[in-house]
Amino acid sequence: MEKWQTRSIYNAAVWYYNHCLGQMPVVMVTEDEDAVRQYGNETEGVFVISFKNYLDNFWPDLKAAHELFDSILQARRERESESQENNGKEYPEHLPVEILEAGIKSGRYIQGTLNVNKHRAQLEAFVRLQGFGSKETELLSDILIYGARARNRAIHGDVVAVELLPLHEWKGRTVALCENETEDKAPADTTGDPMPTGKVVGIIQKNWRDYVVTFPTKEDSQSQGRNAQKILVTPWDYRIPKIRISTQQAEALQEYRVVVRIDSWESTSVYPNGHFVRVLGRIGDLEGEIAAILVENSICVAPFSEIQKRYNCMCIHNVFVQMSEMPMSSSKNPWKVNPEEEKKRLDLRDTHLIFSIDPKGCEDVDDALSVRTLPNGNLELGVHIADVTHFVAANSYTDVEARARATTYYLADRRYDMLPSVLSADICSLLSGVDRYAVSVLWELEKESYEMLRVCYNKTIIRSAYKLVYEAAQGLLDGDTSVVGDILELKNLDERTRQKKLDELVWAVSKLTDIARHVRAKRDSCGALELEGVEIRVQLDDKNNIHDLIPKQPLEVHETVAECMILANHWVAKKISENFPHQALLRQHPPPRQEFFTELRECASAKGFSIDTGSNKALAESLDKANDPLDPIVNKLLRSMATHAMSNALYFSTGSCPEEDFHHYGLALDKYTHFTSPIRRYADIVVHRLLMATTLKETKGDVKDYVFSNKDLQELCRHINNRNRAAQHAQKQSTELFQCMYFKDKSPETDERCIADGVIYSIRTNGVLVFVPRYGIKGAVYMKNKEGLVISCQGDRSCEWKPGSLHRFQDKITSTTTTGESVTLSLFDHITVKILVQTSRCHADTIKLEIIRNAPYRISDTEVSQKNFHVVKSDLVKEVSQSAEEAQRAQQKARVVEVIDEDYQEYCQTKGASLYQLLEEIRDLALLDVSADIRT
């Protein structure tokens, strides 16, 4: 078989050489020495050589490639040698695939994805059920995989087959607070009730990726053993086991973040074997840490190449053909509407007052709104979305790249766009005063009841009249005339004209808000949820420097825009699913599993509230009633817990599940999709094409270029869902990075900024979980330290460590010293905490909290408090900015590399010398738990 495959590959190489008319040599690389001898000289122009010869002859100066090849070769030799020498087995052999498949079908084995507990990575992993479940056990919960041997060489993210252990061997999950430590044994009193427990008997799909690792120090390397070239490196992600690689560069790379790949994990080896790939940057350096976050989330952020942006040259019979993809646009020669295209579109430029409402500094304006009175007295509501698909043809180079990225990635200090900037910030952005192509959804509404009488979908040409920011729009809604000065389009007008236009705009914003209230009320009656996230908004000064980090202030106009977008997404979902019942891309939000609400119910009960989780409507009503008038943060935390209990909303193909599963739990809608942000979401591009295909279908046109098969669409949905999760993780991790950078240089003993008020929201056996509103931080506060001492409070309620014991109850925890002193902390208590940074050479730094007083944090002078609050937050981001910029300048000097400004700016997607000025372009910096993200 191998000989036949080699011959087939060689024949393909010869065919391609002849197809190119002998103008381009073809190289076939193989490690089959017989093939090299047999085919090496058979066809002139077709080279059959080994990989080593290929590197030596074609890339002699590519040092990194030669080092990588040597690393892989050495690892393979050592693996073969080890297999021969080591007869003992560290792990059981995996069962053959055919046995696993049969066992899964019969119910003997259970299939699922392995999720390692990052806080107890050596001990705990869980398998979430998928596919066929066990017919006998009818499991409703995850399966605990306890210990490394039971995990049997499976790595976090692998799809595995699990065999349940006998009932008497079941164990409970850890309920104690725990740091990312390496103990292989948990104290007996820290586990919960026994749960289904199993062992991995086979791996169905390995989901290995690139891993960021750190080399051991010189002392640790020497302690590892006799062979200095075989090194155990420690992954950045606690959930990944140490990896053994072969390299001669261990000492030189001790201070760097490095990328490695796993090659294999034999049953005779305690650790997996891998090889060195590349260096990312120095440990602790901002750019190196950001690069680590990107690699860990498999995010590729290479700049859009000139081939993708401008043209592609193809050689066809020795004639080079220039294939233009991106339209040209510049300040001197801006893009203009094509006269032929103009005839095909509904022209709204002179008939509709269209405007956008976005955060300050937003460049990629996806959407705009309109409302007007029709001649018959009814109203017309319009949602106008950038027509990205007009410029991004299916399967073009730009489309392929956008599909691979799937989303725009927003980090704490930068963003990486899904589309080239000529589209995202210019031609497709619905800026004011310029003509743009759009896809518009227009509803006719009854003038008083707002009942929807009809809806139409059109390709349009629009000219937005205003580019409003949220604060200005809210001001208009509230009758605050001072915001008029912030509306650029109303400047330089005579008083009469300005007043007339202002009256029209105020009427439109007010009418839109009234319609949105009606639409929201209708969803509320069906059980729509209003959930809570911990969100921080970035505020910049006049010079684009970060002035403050403030909690996001909810404005009614936020809801107005959101409801209009939800409405458009809902109606487009109905349209495309009706026309393509088995090939439409929708977004589902499954009902959460009831056991995930246990902590929410218990916490609410501690405050005397009852939470009904039987349905989304019951949950919404319960949360509305769970209000403590003396402490509004209680309701916010309960809503945050409800958010955390939710499943993730996911894209899917309508042909992959029954229609009753289409429902969106959080929004209380039977069908939903994403249509309103095609500049930054690839799912919306797919939906735009489907919507246009419905028009072609109705006119008997050919839709094959617009529609995926159900199988291909479902595969694409899996990819987009994966990329969305990666984007959420990366944003969260980058935010945590900057939080640590700020506190790292502060002295918690003397710096007031390290002391803050915290609210207890969960009880554990050895401590509590606390939320710090001032900085949007959630973390663990231990009441028992590693020496076994417990927290004790003095007369002034300050805390210190003393011998004693802890007693945990459902809604509180009591610390009692050996001398009889006791202190009790209850759910939703306010305490004073100290904020520290727990540094790690091999992993990301983390925020650590310590209780210092069993009382709320107070500053007596209110004015001083408010002043310090703003200074603290201003200093936080300014100091991080300053230190990062200094490091960046030092790096540039050390490298002595001339960076072309245009390419650098495109790569980092920034608009100024400071990396941090880009924060003006970030919408809302959310510090949500990733698992809780169910946004529309």
Side-chain angles (χ1 to χ4, degrees), residues 293-532:
I293 289 172
L294 296 176
V295 170
E296 280 296 313
N297 290 286
S298 302
I299 296 174
C300 175
V301 293
F304 287 98
S305 67
E306 287 304 307
I307 275 187
Q308 290 164 324
K309 285 177 60 183
R310 298 295 179 218
Y311 59 84
N312 176 53
C313 291
M314 295 182 61
C315 179
I316 302 176
H317 300 299
N318 295 325
V319 178
F320 283 89
V321 180
Q322 184 169 314
M323 309 276 298
S324 176
E325 277 199 4
M326 291 296 98
M328 300 295 294
S329 182
S330 65
S331 56
K332 294 181 179 179
N333 185 25
W335 174 87
K336 295 179 182 177
V337 168
N338 182 299
E340 291 301 314
E341 183 67 22
E342 188 173 5
K343 298 175 184 176
K344 304 174 185 176
R345 292 176 176 261
L346 179 64
D347 194 339
L348 306 181
R349 288 173 289 185
D350 298 325
T351 57
H352 288 63
L353 174 64
I354 296 174
F355 54 92
S356 61
I357 307 176
D358 287 288
K360 289 180 180 178
C362 178
E363 290 184 344
D364 50 347
V365 182
D366 290 288
D367 55 84
L369 300 166
S370 68
V371 62
R372 65 172 183 158
T373 303
L374 296 172
N376 63 5
N378 288 332
L379 295 172
E380 181 191 74
L381 170 66
V383 172
H384 313 275
I385 307 301
D387 190 359
V388 171
T389 57
H390 176 81
F391 301 99
V392 181
N395 299 317
S396 63
Y397 285 97
T398 306
D399 184 54
V400 170
E401 178 65 19
R403 189 187 311 160
R405 298 189 180 203
T407 183
T408 291
Y409 297 96
Y410 292 92
L411 303 191
D413 68 327
R414 66 196 77 183
R415 80 167 189 260
Y416 299 101
D417 287 331
M418 185 184 77
L419 295 173
S421 59
V422 68
L423 293 181
S424 61
D426 187 2
I427 297 172
C428 290
S429 187
L430 305 183
L431 305 172
S432 65
V434 292
D435 295 343
R436 291 291 183 258
Y437 294 155
V439 179
S440 301
V441 185
L442 301 169
W443 296 267
E444 182 178 346
L445 310 177
E446 203 281 325
K447 61 183 177 182
E448 293 181 356
S449 68
Y450 301 141
E451 179 187 352
M452 291 174 187
L453 305 177
R454 69 182 187 90
V455 61
C456 61
Y457 311 85
N458 296 100
K459 283 203 165 196
T460 57
I461 301 176
I462 69 169
R463 184 186 299 135
S464 175
Y466 303 96
K467 183 177 182 290
L468 301 178
V469 298
Y470 282 118
E471 291 76 12
Q474 186 64 45
L476 295 177
L477 194 60
D478 296 339
D480 180 4
T481 57
S482 66
V483 301
V484 175
D486 298 330
I487 303 174
L488 297 178
E489 295 85 355
L490 291 178
K491 292 184 176 181
N492 303 321
L493 298 175
D494 62 79
E495 183 62 30
R496 183 177 179 182
T497 303
R498 179 166 59 248
Q499 190 59 48
K500 180 184 177 184
K501 288 182 173 293
L502 179 60
D503 291 343
E504 292 173 347
L505 182 58
V506 169
W507 178 87
V509 173
S510 300
K511 185 58 68 173
L512 275 175
T513 301
D514 205 25
I515 294 171
R517 290 171 187 154
H518 174 82
V519 174
R520 173 72 200 204
K522 199 169 183 180
R523 285 201 304 111
D524 285 345
S525 67
C526 297
L529 293 168
E530 180 184 343
L531 299 176
E532 185 73 26

Side-chain angles (χ1 to χ4, degrees), residues 536 547-551 553 742 752-753 756 773-776 857 859 861-876:
I536 300 297
H547 172 68
D548 205 350
L549 284 178
I550 57 176
Q553 299 300 318
Y742 173 68
E752 167 188 7
R753 291 167 290 186
R774 183 175 177 180
Y775 296 112
Y857 179 60
I859 296 180
D861 190 333
T862 305
E863 291 183 3
V864 172
S865 173
Q866 291 177 347
K867 180 180 177 182
N868 287 343
F869 180 79
H870 288 284
V871 170
V872 166
K873 290 183 172 294
S874 176
D875 286 349
L876 186 155

Side-chain angles (χ1 to χ4, degrees), residues 130-148:
Q130 65 179 49
F132 293 96
S134 172
K135 296 177 181 177
E136 295 179 2
T137 58
E138 296 181 353
L139 294 174
L140 297 176
S141 69
D142 297 339
I143 300 171
L144 172 65
I145 309 296
Y146 191 85

